[in-house]
Amino acid sequence: MAVKAISKYEFAPADSVDKFHGAQLLYVCWDDHLMFCSPLAYCLPPNTPFRDLCEKILPKSYGYHPDWAQVDMSKATWLKSGQPFAVDMDKTLGELGLKHKDVLRFKTPGLNGLNGSGF
Amino acid sequence: MDMQVKKKKLGLKEKYAHMTRGLDWQPSYQTKEAVFPYATYEGIKVHDWDKWEDPFRLTMDAYWKYQAEKERKLYAVLDAFAQNNGHLGLTDARYLNAVKLFLTGISPLEYMAHRGFATAGRNFPGVGPRVACLMQAVDEIRHSQTQIHAISNYNKYYNGFHDFKHMLERVWYLSVPKSFFDDAFSAGPFEWMVAIGFSFEYVLTNLLFVPFMSGAAYNGDMATVTFGFSAQSDEARHMTLGLECIKFMLEQDPDNVPIVQKWIDKWAWRGVRVLSLVSMMMDYMLPKRVMSWKEAWEIYFEQNGGALFNDLARYGIKMPECLSRASIDKEHASHQTWSILYQYGGAAAFHTFMPSDEEMDWLSAKYPNTFDKYYRERFTYWREQEQKGNRFYNNTLPMLCQVCQVPMAVTEPDNMLQISYRESDYKGEKYHTCSDGCKQIFDDEPEKYIQAWLPVHQIYMGNCFPEGTDPTVEGFDPLAKVLEWYHLVPGKDNMDYNGSEDQKNFNAWRGLATKND
């Protein structure tokens, strides 16, 4: 529904991709690890290899968690907006079709938080 | 012989009529529509403004007299508190973090409320609500000032009190209360009255003020308590104005009912999300607790609010559906919100800390269904890590909800281990919300919320560094620059309470006051 207003009410979105200096937003959540209270927000160029996300970027964010040391990212399963998502370590974010403000979730089989608690 | 007839004094009712309706006039060289351009566009139909009844019938002259009296009493107490080192009578300096949250997150909103009621008063064609809004506008600026005066005493001794106005417009979690008021202020006068006059001041005010003011009383903060008393009679008037305004709209035209219902639904949920900050304050930040957030929700919302909605049922108004969701969240809100602030405590304008064993036992007793099941283990782990020198700070920015702007930490109502994601597409852009309530608000007015100033996105755009910062230089530390832009001094204003300057100073000064060398 439109906003009720006394005159034309049209504005550009505050967060469109052109404002991020060539990069785009990507949200990532490691499911079953609520030690990290919410999904994380990254600002990455679309030519970032997915491998870099998994091997360089995520470890810096999630490395504090004791489960991280056992994570094998090649076995992780991924969702994009809640739907199964096929990844390829050798492709870039752009080649995988990831757009500005997409949200990814991944599960690491057998690793479900401290003592399996989801934390 | 001429008799001198003594002039009869005006009765209250007559005086009220003269001082309100008697002050109104009809425009002669402009149309009424041109003078009151915001009166009709929201779709609210008003047939007779004279049906507005102000239950207080307060006139301006009486108002000044009462308020002046209250001010005198308040400032006498504040002076005494300052002169007698009242801050050393606090239960513990941890308590001050609740006051910092209040000063940065709430006092500036009192000022926004002042602006909003002044604007609403200007825009209502009816003289009754205009006078009532005028008085509330003056009340609100008084509250803002008295809070700042009451709290400024702490700025002499403790960190984090130094720049609340600057912080409100920048610091990430303060965008939660700020965006709430900006949303209301940028709506029309009728929605403003439902948002702030009714939902905030009537339905939710007890959940805001009782915890802070009772919290102050329980923790020895006489300055804040006295402010609370000084504001209390004003709040009673504000509640009555909010309710009167709703009833007036509902009685004027049946077409108003669905519009008012939509606003009540929206603002109830907006309010619940903002109050998640109060929930963590009650359960975690007060050294001596008043009651749990869950108890407060049950008393002030489920019982009192339930009675209110029963009363409004005769107009066809229903309890907002989203609130059944809030009654599930009451078991989780404080724990989840404290987890957010704890892990992002490196960028907060107050100190965070993990509860002691004794405090965890209190939480178990108050939250028998959830605390031990979900949260005790988590907090125990974090505390152990802190004691080992491995205090957890999340080093990556969180994803935020487009509407409430709280990090996306809300879990699904039927699965408390699964974060809830809601997504909307609008004109080719994706927008993420944390709950059905926030998604409905977004989908109803996407044009409004696509303009949201989301702190995380603004940081990534490079808009949150001091002027002249070059983010491309080798070894650039974005967090350090963001804190500098927030006017926060790392290690003084933020991070854990344990080991903080506040903790050290309070213990040393209180030691001087209560012990021998």
Side-chain angles (χ1 to χ4, degrees):
Chain A
M1 232 184 93
V3 173
K4 281 185 187 161
I6 53 167
S7 55
K8 202 171 120 195
Y9 193 97
E10 263 181 42
F11 294 90
D15 304 323
S16 50
V17 69
D18 54 296
K19 300 186 173 75
F20 290 84
H21 315 286
Q24 63 188 39
L25 292 176
L26 177 67
Y27 307 111
V28 182
C29 186
W30 184 14
D31 276 359
D32 305 320
H33 292 83
L34 285 175
M35 184 176 301
F36 307 89
C37 61
S38 47
L40 303 176
Y42 295 101
C43 184
L44 302 168
N47 64 4
T48 307
F50 196 75
R51 185 180 301 283
D52 283 6
L53 175 73
C54 294
E55 294 178 3
K56 294 183 183 159
I57 298 167
L58 296 181
K60 276 191 199 151
S61 301
Y62 288 123
Y64 181 90
H65 199 289
D67 275 358
W68 187 261
Q70 289 125 65
V71 166
D72 177 356
M73 283 310 276
S74 67
K75 295 208 174 100
T77 58
W78 294 82
L79 299 174
K80 187 179 98 168
S81 289
Q83 300 302 313
F85 181 64
V87 301
D88 183 338
M89 289 290 172
D90 298 320
K91 285 189 174 159
T92 65
L93 303 182
E95 286 163 357
L96 286 169
L98 289 170
K99 297 266 185 325
H100 184 49
K101 293 205 269 180
D102 268 341
V103 54
L104 291 179
R105 290 163 51 188
F106 67 100
K107 275 189 196 296
T108 46
L111 297 169
N112 306 311
L114 290 177
N115 309 318
S117 66
F119 174 65
Chain B
M1 208 171 100
D2 289 338
M3 292 281 285
Q4 284 277 322
V5 180
K6 210 177 173 191
K7 249 195 213 157
K8 217 180 121 201
K9 238 184 153 183
L10 289 178
L12 253 187
K13 209 174 165 183
E14 268 178 310
K15 194 165 151 191
Y16 175 73
H18 280 301
M19 296 287 279
T20 52
R21 277 159 215 179
L23 292 175
D24 200 19
W25 71 90
Q26 292 301 319
S28 53
Y29 57 90
Q30 284 286 352
T31 61
K32 201 147 188 172
E33 290 69 35
V35 177
F36 298 106
Y38 300 113
T40 53
Y41 83 90
E42 294 172 275
I44 294 291
K45 294 176 185 157
V46 175
H47 303 290
D48 183 4
W49 280 101
D50 281 338
K51 288 266 160 43
W52 177 281
E53 288 291 342
D54 181 350
F56 273 87
R57 297 224 172 92
L58 190 61
T59 55
M60 259 350 252
D61 58 336
Y63 174 79
W64 294 129
K65 207 177 110 201
Y66 294 140
Q67 300 302 78
E69 183 61 25
K70 288 196 284 187
E71 293 279 273
R72 274 194 295 275
K73 285 184 190 156
L74 171 66
Y75 283 94
V77 175
L78 293 187
D79 281 349
F81 186 81
Q83 284 169 21
N84 295 309
N85 278 327
H87 67 103
L88 296 180
L90 296 176
T91 44
D92 183 42
R94 271 194 308 167
Y95 161 76
L96 289 172
N97 295 299
V99 185
K100 294 175 198 178
L101 182 62
F102 192 86
L103 176 71
T104 51
I106 296 176
S107 303
L109 303 189
E110 302 267 16
Y111 176 68
M112 280 304 288
H114 154 72
R115 291 181 62 200
F117 279 101
T119 307
R122 164 64 184 84
N123 288 322
F124 281 133
V127 70
R130 223 151 60 204
V131 171
C133 283
L134 167 67
M135 284 180 209
Q136 184 157 353
V138 180
D139 286 341
E140 301 290 0
I141 202 165
R142 187 177 87 88
H143 293 181
S144 183
Q145 283 177 348
T146 48
Q147 284 166 22
I148 293 161
H149 290 158
I151 295 170
S152 66
N153 182 50
Y154 293 119
N155 186 41
K156 290 184 225 160
Y157 308 102
Y158 301 97
N159 293 320
F161 288 104
H162 54 284
D163 216 348
F164 64 93
K165 186 192 164 288
H166 180 92
M167 290 177 196
L168 178 82
E169 290 165 358
R170 291 164 179 81
V171 177
W172 59 280
Y173 57 92
L174 297 177
S175 81
V176 174
K178 181 177 189 292
S179 70
F180 176 95
F181 261 77
D182 287 352
D183 189 349
F185 189 70
S186 53
F190 287 102
E191 187 178 345
W192 166 268
M193 289 305 288
V194 174
I196 307 303
F198 177 73
S199 297
F200 202 68
E201 298 274 355
Y202 198 97
V203 185
L204 301 168
T205 196
N206 280 329
L207 284 165
L208 180 66
F209 272 88
V210 172
F212 272 106
M213 298 313 145
S214 309
Y218 272 52
N219 288 282
D221 180 3
M222 288 325 287
T224 303
V225 173
T226 312
F227 151 73
F229 281 131
S230 180
Q232 207 168 34
S233 52
D234 300 341
E235 298 297 345
R237 194 155 25 78
H238 301 171
M239 290 173 84
T240 315
L241 175 61
L243 189 60
E244 174 58 27
C245 187
I246 286 273
K247 288 187 172 170
F248 176 73
M249 285 188 238
L250 296 172
E251 280 167 4
Q252 282 290 311
D253 199 292
D255 289 353
N256 295 343
V257 176
I259 305 176
V260 170
Q261 178 77 57
K262 190 179 91 171
W263 287 336
I264 290 179
D265 292 351
K266 168 182 171 182
W267 288 98
W269 187 250
R270 289 290 262 132
V272 165
R273 298 301 299 135
V274 168
L275 289 177
S276 61
L277 290 168
V278 179
S279 73
M280 72 170 191
M281 189 284 286
M282 290 183 77
D283 285 345
Y284 288 90
M285 299 173 80
L286 298 178
K288 192 165 160 58
R289 281 125 165 108
V290 178
M291 60 170 81
S292 68
W293 166 252
K294 179 171 166 244
E295 288 168 316
W297 179 259
E298 285 166 353
I299 295 170
Y300 296 117
F301 186 76
E302 290 176 1
Q303 291 170 24
N304 297 2
L308 167 69
F309 281 103
N310 286 340
D311 185 34
L312 291 175
R314 66 191 156 109
Y315 298 106
I317 290 293
K318 293 189 207 80
M319 172 89 89
E321 267 173 44
C322 61
L323 291 173
S324 55
R325 170 69 210 260
S327 286
I328 299 173
D329 288 345
K330 72 184 176 192
E331 299 262 12
H332 301 274
S334 66
H335 319 303
Q336 291 182 347
T337 313
W338 189 238
S339 299
I340 300 173
L341 271 297
Y342 180 79
Q343 65 190 265
Y344 288 109
F350 57 87
H351 299 296
T352 50
F353 37 86
M354 276 293 112
S356 65
D357 284 335
E358 189 204 343
E359 287 168 326
M360 289 210 220
D361 290 343
W362 183 89
L363 289 162
S364 298
K366 295 295 182 186
Y367 294 92
N369 303 323
T370 53
F371 187 76
D372 285 353
K373 189 171 170 192
Y374 296 105
Y375 303 104
R376 184 186 277 265
E377 193 186 344
R378 301 178 185 184
F379 292 166
T380 306
Y381 180 81
W382 274 340
R383 205 178 58 195
E384 284 166 5
Q385 292 305 308
E386 182 215 327
Q387 284 159 357
K388 288 183 199 159
N390 188 31
R391 165 49 158 108
F392 178 49
Y393 290 107
N394 193 329
N395 60 21
T396 311
L397 300 176
M399 175 183 184
L400 305 178
C401 171
Q402 186 78 25
V403 173
C404 69
Q405 307 202 3
V406 179
M408 296 260 301
V410 174
T411 47
E412 292 287 3
D414 57 355
N415 181 0
M416 291 299 165
L417 295 176
Q418 177 57 55
I419 286 172
S420 98
Y421 297 85
R422 302 290 181 267
E423 207 174 292
S424 303
D425 281 293
Y426 182 69
K427 291 190 178 169
E429 287 275 329
K430 271 200 173 69
Y431 297 92
H432 302 276
T433 40
C434 69
S435 52
D436 292 336
C438 283
K439 179 173 161 56
Q440 276 161 20
I441 294 169
F442 180 87
D443 290 345
D444 191 53
E445 294 185 304
E447 268 315 328
K448 190 166 192 180
Y449 298 97
I450 63 169
Q451 304 167 63
W453 194 92
L454 294 178
V456 167
H457 296 179
Q458 294 294 325
I459 290 171
Y460 279 137
M461 286 180 216
N463 296 336
C464 305
F465 305 131
E467 232 180 275
T469 300
D470 178 6
T472 60
V473 293
E474 186 77 14
F476 176 69
D477 180 353
L479 177 65
K481 283 292 168 190
V482 169
L483 292 183
E484 194 182 321
W485 187 70
Y486 284 176
H487 288 186
L488 285 180
V489 181
K492 265 179 183 266
D493 300 320
N494 59 353
M495 307 180 87
D496 207 281
Y497 178 72
N498 288 325
S500 67
E501 220 171 60
D502 276 6
Q503 182 191 39
K504 224 167 54 206
N505 286 339
F506 179 77
N507 291 342
W509 294 332
R510 180 127 91 189
L512 287 177
T514 56
K515 289 186 198 89
N516 297 308
D517 285 337

